[in-house]
Amino acid sequence: MEFNLTKSLEILERTPTVLNTLLSGLSDNWTMQNEGGETWSPYDVMGHLIHGERTDWMQRLNIILDSKGDNKFASFDRFAQFEESKGKTLNDLLTEFETIRKANLEKLKALKLNNSHLEMTGIHPKFGSVTMKQLLSTWTVHDLAHTGQIVRVMAKQYKEEVGPWVEYLRILQS
Amino acid sequence: MEFNLTKSLEILERTPTVLNTLLSGLSDNWTMQNEGGETWSPYDVMGHLIHGERTDWMQRLNIILDSKGDNKFASFDRFAQFEESKGKTLNDLLTEFETIRKANLEKLKALKLNNSHLEMTGIHPKFGSVTMKQLLSTWTVHDLAHTGQIVRVMAKQYKEEVGPWVEYLRILQS
């Protein structure tokens, strides 16, 4: 499937509701545990998604649009959420994500991007030149990737409990 | 985390709403495509979940409880949905899953299972003796596994569109 802004918005607009439906009111056993070591819990993932809304997606999109300036992206801090989420409940994070995503998508839609905008480029710190279309596709896939990560982390809390069925459950081996 | 019926129900009860929120009203590009070859689309996965509600989880649980009879499980048909979903829309499947899951969980709760029930066993066609606790844990993880599969299949529809970011998106490589 080729990039399509309307179809990307179908995903970007629903992610906060999907995550709210998935996580709101669950026991901490499901939401505050990780996959071991330095991996992230569903709670940590919510903080990461919020940090992306604050500092990454729309900021990079605006850097691409602002053709007068330096079009290099800043690096994204993948660990900022450990500081920023302090003292917040999971429900605080779910609400915060919903609010900031909604505001970002309103700004995105107000830009009325056309096909030539979508081909404009910025400089990624590692990859070099990337297009706006690739940035928006990545934002969309990033939502799905972290939703997948959340359900995987939750599933793994029962890894020992499924007994021999572990063999049929690829999610527990990944 | 050890098996806990209440905590399993937290997941089992919300899965129909999660999938409805995730899939309802999406373009067919997201819901009717698969990962290539014989893999399943989100639409196919919904049919599989319904077939499990009809023929697998509660049936096996009842076989375990019915200590007077033969406690061998029937084999589960992993491909039945291709026949059974014919002529149905994705929204039909989402509604059907919600209805049958709700009915199954009402039956499950009415059994008022205690710890000795949870240790009772049945004979799985491949694994041999399995406990009711393992069956119920597997039902729970199975929900999360297929939710994860659905978001992975959706993400892959944009695999070519993310450009160099594919390197950071593990979901596109799995």
Side-chain angles (χ1 to χ4, degrees):
Chain A
M1 156 186 194
E2 278 185 32
F3 176 79
N4 177 298
L5 186 55
T6 309
K7 288 175 185 172
S8 301
L9 284 168
E10 289 178 7
I11 307 295
L12 292 167
E13 285 178 334
R14 73 181 56 207
T15 300
T17 320
V18 170
L19 295 177
N20 196 64
T21 309
L22 182 62
L23 294 174
S24 179
L26 281 182
S27 300
D28 286 358
N29 305 70
W30 296 119
T31 60
M32 303 305 283
Q33 303 300 314
N34 65 17
E35 298 171 273
E38 299 291 296
T39 63
W40 295 354
S41 67
Y43 175 90
D44 297 332
V45 173
M46 287 311 304
H48 167 75
L49 289 170
I50 290 166
H51 189 68
E53 295 301 307
R54 280 205 198 298
T55 71
D56 189 359
W57 309 109
M58 285 302 290
Q59 283 66 22
R60 289 181 168 189
L61 195 141
N62 283 321
I63 288 170
I64 293 177
L65 276 178
D66 179 16
S67 57
K68 279 166 288 183
D70 173 359
N71 67 353
K72 278 190 193 157
F73 301 155
S75 293
F76 179 74
D77 182 354
R78 291 183 61 254
F79 301 96
Q81 69 270 18
F82 296 106
E83 202 50 47
E84 290 175 5
S85 297
K86 273 186 183 159
K88 295 178 185 166
T89 66
L90 177 60
N91 271 328
D92 291 340
L93 298 183
L94 289 165
T95 307
E96 192 175 344
F97 178 57
E98 188 168 18
T99 307
I100 190 166
R101 168 60 60 91
K102 202 175 166 197
N104 275 335
L105 295 185
E106 276 166 17
K107 286 177 208 155
L108 174 64
K109 288 188 267 188
L111 292 171
K112 298 194 186 305
L113 299 173
N114 60 35
N115 285 338
S116 14
H117 291 126
L118 293 172
E119 300 298 340
M120 292 173 77
T121 55
I123 307 296
H124 184 279
K126 179 172 173 189
F127 303 133
S129 180
V130 290
T131 64
M132 188 186 294
K133 217 161 73 168
Q134 289 169 338
L135 177 71
L136 289 167
S137 302
T138 302
W139 191 5
T140 310
V141 173
H142 185 265
D143 273 15
L144 297 166
H146 284 294
T147 305
Q149 177 184 18
I150 286 172
V151 294
R152 185 183 72 236
V153 176
M154 288 165 66
K156 286 191 181 174
Q157 306 314 314
Y158 261 3
K159 187 167 184 175
E160 307 301 324
E161 300 306 306
V162 300
W165 270 290
V166 67
E167 188 184 327
Y168 285 176
L169 294 161
R170 190 169 96 169
I171 198 170
L172 299 180
Q173 286 131 32
S174 57
Chain B
M1 154 186 196
E2 278 185 34
F3 176 80
N4 177 300
L5 186 55
T6 309
K7 288 176 185 171
S8 301
L9 284 167
E10 290 179 7
I11 306 295
L12 292 167
E13 284 178 334
R14 74 180 55 207
T15 300
T17 320
V18 170
L19 296 177
N20 195 64
T21 310
L22 182 63
L23 295 174
S24 180
L26 281 182
S27 299
D28 286 357
N29 306 69
W30 295 119
T31 60
M32 303 305 283
Q33 305 299 315
N34 64 19
E35 297 171 274
E38 299 291 296
T39 62
W40 296 354
S41 67
Y43 175 90
D44 297 332
V45 173
M46 287 310 305
H48 167 75
L49 289 170
I50 291 166
H51 189 68
E53 296 300 308
R54 280 205 198 298
T55 70
D56 190 359
W57 308 108
M58 284 302 290
Q59 285 65 21
R60 290 180 168 190
L61 195 140
N62 283 320
I63 287 169
I64 293 177
L65 276 179
D66 179 14
S67 57
K68 279 167 287 183
D70 173 359
N71 67 351
K72 278 190 192 157
F73 301 156
S75 292
F76 179 74
D77 183 354
R78 291 184 60 253
F79 301 96
Q81 69 271 18
F82 295 107
E83 203 48 49
E84 289 174 6
S85 297
K86 271 186 185 159
K88 296 177 185 166
T89 66
L90 177 59
N91 270 328
D92 292 339
L93 298 184
L94 289 165
T95 307
E96 193 176 342
F97 178 57
E98 188 168 18
T99 307
I100 190 166
R101 168 59 62 90
K102 202 175 166 196
N104 276 335
L105 295 184
E106 276 165 17
K107 284 176 210 156
L108 175 64
K109 287 188 265 188
L111 293 172
K112 301 196 185 304
L113 299 173
N114 60 35
N115 284 339
S116 15
H117 290 126
L118 294 172
E119 299 298 341
M120 291 173 77
T121 57
I123 307 296
H124 184 279
K126 179 172 174 192
F127 302 133
S129 180
V130 290
T131 64
M132 187 185 294
K133 217 161 74 168
Q134 289 169 338
L135 177 71
L136 288 166
S137 302
T138 302
W139 191 4
T140 310
V141 172
H142 185 264
D143 272 15
L144 297 167
H146 284 294
T147 305
Q149 178 184 18
I150 286 172
V151 294
R152 184 183 73 235
V153 176
M154 289 166 67
K156 285 191 180 172
Q157 306 313 312
Y158 261 2
K159 186 168 185 174
E160 307 302 323
E161 299 306 306
V162 299
W165 270 290
V166 67
E167 189 184 325
Y168 286 176
L169 295 160
R170 191 170 95 167
I171 198 169
L172 299 179
Q173 287 130 30
S174 57

